[in-house]
Amino acid sequence: MKKTMSIIIAALLVLSMPAFAGGAGEAASGEVYFLNFKPEIAEVYTNEVAPAFEEATGIPLKVVTAASNQYEATLRSEISKSEPPTIFQINGPVGLQNWKDYAAPLDDTAFYGMLSDPSMALSDGGQVLAVPYTVEGYGIIYNDAIMRAYFALPDKAVSISSAEEITDFATLKAVVEDMTAHKDELGIQGVFASTSMAPGSDWRWQTHLFNVPLWAEFRDKAGGDSSQALATAFAAKTFDFTYNENFRNLWDLYLNNSVSPKGLVGGKNDADSMAEFALGQCAMVQNGNWGASQILGVPGNTVADSDIKFLPLYMGLDGEEGLGICVGTENYLCINKQASPEAQANALVFLEWLFSSDEGKDLVTNSLGFITPFNTFAEDEQPTDPLARQVTKWMAKGDVKSIPWTFAGIPSEQWKADFGAALLEYINGRMSWEDTAQVAVDAWAREAELAGR
Amino acid sequence: MEKSIRKWFALFALPGMICFSVAFLIPFVWAFILSFCSFTTITNASFVGIENYIRAFTVDNYFTQAFWFTLAFTIVSVVLINIIAFTFALLLTKDVPGTNAFRTIIFMPNLIGGIVLGWIWNVIINGVLAQFGLNIMSDSKFGFWGLVVLMLWQNAGYMMVIYIAAIQNIPQDELEAASIDGASWWTTLTRIIIPSVMPSITICLFLTLTNGFKLYDQNLALTAGQPNHGTEMLAMNIFNTFYSRVGFEGVGQAKAVIFTIIVAAIALLQLFFTRKKEEAL
């Protein structure tokens, strides 16, 4: 009898293996499954885009959203299912290395053909695998009404009279610290919104704020050529954090002039920070144009559209008067080549519909709020929310240069997690600044080696 | 009878065996095989030998750190949960009014899911610490004791119910004989009550021990392992290795195999010793 049992078990084991191996790639329906990266507009996709697309073409569209540092994890578990995502997003060249086995070539598609600048797409092995769909910008968002109130104070300590005259770190620091001294008169709880450090909310610092010293270092290493900074960073085995003191300048300014005392920021998430700004509890918050919906859509929002403006991330770099906000993209779309051919074809129909039909473009411009890199959009079809308009305005300024997004060259997500954790330890007073900066350097060397650089 | 049982054993055991194989045996064997492979999804694995096991300890020390944290947490929570649950059980088997109401109240937290509990305690602890200008992320010791309190709150009631059932099953005549012989309260407890409930102690120790080691959702909702991996437990470390590090899926799998072996070994050892104790009494 024992023998019978063992035969049954062995048979079951063997039988089960093809079931595991054969699961993927057999999706029966042509449903387009889009794994979205942007939580701010998740509802727009499910409530507006999906119904409109289904009505226009009859193709079902399913949108699932994953973010807060969970995109890679969600993608990994979803893509091994029997109906994997058809359209997924990668964050740049590092992401492409991880997912190139799943990305279908896009060279001959109309979607790729719509790019105004085809060189923006990502390629590997001579094939175009990922196409960017939105250009974004970030900096310090400020509420001009509060700034005007400050500059109207009779006893202000600075000589300038508007926020637009702030063009370097020294001025920014003087203004911010004097505003903190006058915060009761200004009716704010702090100049900056809380430095959100809750799990999953530290990307504004370990990725976005960090972009400036990262760019500056690799611009230097590329012989001063700003456009080569990303490529240099992407190939770099080591990172010296030359500009760590500059990072610290602005980082300390955020922490010392915040709505929340240092001990509490570990419990704040980015939505809290944006709400503080929308409710007028603070004058400034570091974020990008994707945050518009988190300001304008908040019940009790006290900030007028015309008062929402950007300042660059000044941190004491040489010649920073000539630097603008950080502009770039980490949003590239790929088509999963392991999805069913029908779903892949439908995915291209969806992307073409979204970015070239009148109905789709209207949704992109007015509901999703993307500044797109496609030639199908006319000048007057760019989004009208105040932050997107500010991004285009900063990009068009002749006397300042935008800082390109260089953080796509960070060797791994683990690097970001390690640096974020070190920043929290610094806030908690358990790590000195030297040690915090050293974590960034050591983790880069380790992760770059693991990434095979 | 005996003969027909033998004859039909395989057939009647089959549904159970299928379930056991599909839900446990096959995944376990697969997991074991995958721990020697490099893979992104389980359908494209390639063999790499014991490299994953080496990398589990050499790339960073978070796994060993998580092990010591988990061990410390488990010891503290096992001791506290069982002492408190047993005390409650003793108090609530006394003949006083309202015991049923108290039993229900103490048992209730067990009906709430781990994630919800984690959030509730996150809010409570942050609310208290805010008075001192701190929060749960400020220091890993807050996360540690927060987890201990959370687990106590959740599990003491459950273990109490098991102890109550056992205490109520103690033959009344033994207790009467003891009190007639003039045994003190302490002697009655250590010589009659505890030996009689020994099987329940075995079960409760086993449950709290394995719960402590396997803890994940409460850990995630309360601190998510922050600050700086200071409150990261083994299960969470494995999850993070597998899902958050590209190219580390096999390492996560190797850690999971090590984890399974550790938990099984500790649980079996504990069972062995408490069973021996049961028999000795």
Side-chain angles (χ1 to χ4, degrees), chain A residues 76 98 102 263 267 428 447, chain B residues 41 133-135 137 245-246 249:
Chain A
R76 184 148 323 159
N98 301 332
Y102 291 87
N428 288 338
E447 296 298 321
Chain B
T41 56
L134 295 167
N135 86 359
M137 301 300 174
R245 288 202 82 163
V246 175
E249 293 84 356

Side-chain angles (χ1 to χ4, degrees), chain A residues 200-268:
Chain A
S201 277
D202 54 0
W203 49 268
R204 285 194 291 149
W205 326 115
Q206 34 89 323
T207 307
H208 287 177
L209 178 58
F210 176 72
N211 183 61
V212 180
L214 179 73
W215 163 79
E217 174 169 338
F218 286 105
R219 171 202 58 185
D220 295 352
K221 287 182 175 171
D225 184 353
S226 170
S227 66
Q228 286 305 306
L230 173 58
T232 317
F234 180 61
K237 288 192 177 71
T238 56
F239 166 68
D240 302 323
F241 214 166
T242 330
Y243 293 102
N244 75 77
E245 282 299 331
N246 300 89
F247 182 96
R248 187 188 183 180
N249 281 342
L250 193 49
W251 179 240
D252 282 346
L253 194 68
Y254 286 164
L255 290 169
N256 295 332
N257 299 281
S258 172
V259 168
S260 302
K262 281 186 188 182
L264 297 185
V265 297
K268 299 285 178 186

Side-chain angles (χ1 to χ4, degrees), chain A residues 263-326:
Chain A
L264 297 185
V265 297
K268 299 285 178 186
N269 58 42
D270 47 281
D272 294 335
S273 307
M274 293 310 285
E276 288 162 6
F277 182 80
L279 299 179
Q281 295 172 353
C282 61
M284 301 181 184
V285 61
Q286 182 205 308
N287 214 340
N289 60 295
W290 56 86
S293 60
Q294 286 174 297
I295 301 171
L296 307 174
V298 172
N301 168 33
T302 62
V303 192
D305 278 19
S306 55
D307 286 334
I308 305 178
K309 292 179 178 168
F310 269 123
L311 265 182
L313 299 171
Y314 293 125
M315 49 176 69
L317 296 173
D318 288 338
E320 63 185 354
E321 307 77 33
L323 295 177
I325 61 174
C326 298

Side-chain angles (χ1 to χ4, degrees), chain A residues 322-403:
Chain A
L323 295 177
I325 61 174
C326 298
V327 175
T329 186
E330 61 163 351
N331 298 284
Y332 297 85
L333 293 178
C334 295
I335 307 263
N336 177 10
K337 70 176 171 197
Q338 305 205 354
S340 75
E342 197 189 352
Q344 289 184 47
N346 286 343
L348 286 169
V349 172
F350 168 62
L351 294 173
E352 282 160 31
W353 173 82
L354 186 63
F355 293 111
S356 66
S357 76
D358 287 341
E359 197 182 6
K361 286 199 296 186
D362 179 54
L363 284 167
V364 169
T365 308
N366 296 321
S367 300
L368 296 169
F370 295 155
I371 306 168
T372 63
F374 299 114
N375 55 25
T376 46
F377 287 79
E379 278 292 307
D380 59 346
E381 286 177 313
Q382 295 296 353
T384 51
D385 76 73
L387 286 174
R389 278 206 309 258
Q390 279 276 308
V391 171
T392 12
K393 197 174 143 207
W394 272 96
M395 283 166 74
K397 280 193 184 184
D399 51 341
V400 297
K401 283 221 162 319
S402 302
I403 297 178

Side-chain angles (χ1 to χ4, degrees), chain B residues 91-205:
Chain B
L91 291 174
L92 296 181
T93 45
K94 295 265 183 288
D95 197 13
V96 282
T99 48
N100 274 336
F102 278 111
R103 284 180 199 177
T104 316
I105 292 168
I106 295 169
F107 182 74
M108 285 282 232
N110 199 266
L111 303 175
I112 308 172
I115 292 281
V116 180
L117 270 184
W119 280 111
I120 293 174
W121 280 95
N122 181 292
V123 171
I124 295 175
I125 294 169
N126 277 339
V128 173
L129 288 175
Q131 308 296 319
F132 306 96
L134 295 167
N135 86 359
I136 198 161
M137 301 300 174
S138 302
D139 194 322
S140 58
K141 68 173 186 253
F142 298 140
F144 179 86
W145 290 106
L147 268 179
V148 170
V149 171
L150 193 166
M151 281 298 275
L152 258 178
W153 202 61
Q154 185 182 23
N155 283 338
Y158 191 82
M159 302 304 151
M160 176 196 75
V161 171
I162 299 177
Y163 284 130
I164 285 178
I167 291 173
Q168 283 175 333
N169 272 333
I170 299 172
Q172 216 51 41
D173 48 353
E174 279 182 28
L175 294 171
E176 270 169 30
S179 72
I180 290 167
D181 289 346
S184 70
W185 171 82
W186 181 250
T187 320
T188 318
L189 179 69
T190 51
R191 294 297 162 92
I192 297 178
I193 299 181
I194 290 184
S196 319
V197 302
M198 206 54 213
S200 299
I201 294 179
T202 310
I203 293 169
C204 287
L205 282 181

